[in-house]
Amino acid sequence: MSALSDDDSRIPAIKSKIRVVPNFPKPGIMFQDITTLLLDPKAFKDTIDLFVERYTGKNISVVAGIEARGFIFGPPIALAIGAKFIPLRKPKKLPGEVISEKYVLEYGTDCLEMHVGAVEPDERALVVDDLIATGGTL
């Protein structure tokens, strides 16, 4: 069975565990709250399993997690597919030399940093966050 098959019974079960919070963090935003998903061990495991099924055998050597909720999903996915995990952090949270990328969100601007050299040439990366609502961060 494909990890993204419409008939995969895990998908509606996972969706039912994600709380939608209207007008957060500002009016007009429909925030997808995954903390309710994390309260259900089966739904949380099924979520990780779907990612693992999709990306196993795809030659991914790096899983990068976006602060902070990407730190929840990224490490178990990385371990399961045999990849290293790289945290993408907010500014001034990593010691040593970093590279930075600034971006614009629907409610402001922000920046992510990672250690220089964390990703080597020719490595294939998977970038993980909790949910992609508007895609602003990613």
Side-chain angles (χ1 to χ4, degrees):
M1 180 185 295
S2 169
L4 296 179
S5 172
D6 288 338
D7 60 352
D8 190 324
S9 64
R10 297 174 294 182
I11 294 173
I14 290 166
K15 285 181 179 179
S16 75
K17 299 297 180 181
I18 299 171
R19 177 175 55 174
V20 178
V21 182
N23 301 311
F24 183 82
K26 74 175 209 175
I29 303 294
M30 299 296 286
F31 185 78
Q32 307 291 310
D33 179 17
I34 57 99
T35 60
T36 49
L37 170 75
L38 301 176
L39 296 173
D40 184 316
K42 181 175 179 354
F44 184 25
K45 181 182 183 312
D46 286 347
T47 302
I48 298 300
D49 289 348
L50 283 169
F51 278 99
V52 170
E53 290 165 19
R54 180 174 181 134
Y55 293 107
T56 294
K58 303 286 188 192
N59 199 31
I60 295 182
S61 54
V62 175
V63 175
I66 296 175
E67 187 169 344
R69 290 178 291 264
F71 296 175
I72 296 168
F73 294 96
I77 294 167
L79 286 172
I81 66 173
K84 62 184 174 182
F85 178 75
I86 298 172
L88 301 178
R89 304 287 319 261
K90 301 290 176 139
K92 301 186 187 320
K93 298 233 179 154
L94 292 171
E97 189 178 1
V98 298
I99 56 174
S100 303
E101 183 68 31
K102 293 181 183 172
Y103 56 94
V104 177
L105 295 166
E106 65 276 13
Y107 47 84
T109 60
D110 216 334
C111 179
L112 290 174
E113 296 182 339
M114 68 179 236
H115 282 120
V116 170
V119 179
E120 299 295 326
D122 299 323
E123 285 190 305
R124 188 166 183 186
L126 170 65
V127 180
V128 176
D129 203 352
D130 59 338
L131 290 169
I132 301 176
T134 64
T137 304
L138 202 52

